[in-house]
Amino acid sequence: MAGLFIDVQVDASVAKDPALTKKLVEVCPVNIFAANDDGSVRIVEANLDECTLCDLCVRAAPPGTVRILKLYE
Ligand code: SF4
């Protein structure tokens, strides 16, 4: 399920990479990314609408693997 205003999509290749998970958890100022016990990434849905569109997560991951979707105009 997405937030009301924002959805964040992470490719499976990135979601399962513990190093990239760590990076995403570190860069996001509003804690939209969290790490599962196995090191894979989890989206914290309750925080999705706090996204500031800062693009730090997009730049922290390989091109095109993290997408921020605006669900509004
Ligand atoms: S764009 Fe910024 S605030 Fe939004 S999910 Fe990425 S790092 Fe977090």
Side-chain angles (χ1 to χ4, degrees), residues 4-6 11 14-15 17 23 26-28 30 32 39 45-46 48-49 54 61 63 66-67 70 73:
L4 207 51
F5 302 112
I6 297 285
D11 278 6
V14 170
D17 182 330
K23 250 169 120 180
E26 278 169 12
V27 297
C28 182
V30 293
I32 284 171
E45 291 178 2
L48 272 175
D49 286 337
C54 68
V66 174
R67 291 171 299 280
K70 279 194 260 181
E73 283 306 318

Side-chain angles (χ1 to χ4, degrees), residues 8 27-30 32-33 50-58 68:
V8 175
V27 297
C28 182
V30 293
I32 284 171
F33 304 97
E50 306 297 323
C51 176
T52 61
L53 306 176
C54 68
D55 261 8
L56 289 174
C57 58
V58 174
I68 306 296

Side-chain angles (χ1 to χ4, degrees), residues 32-46:
I32 284 171
F33 304 97
N36 292 313
D37 288 345
D38 65 357
S40 62
V41 76
R42 176 166 54 85
I43 303 291
V44 182
E45 291 178 2

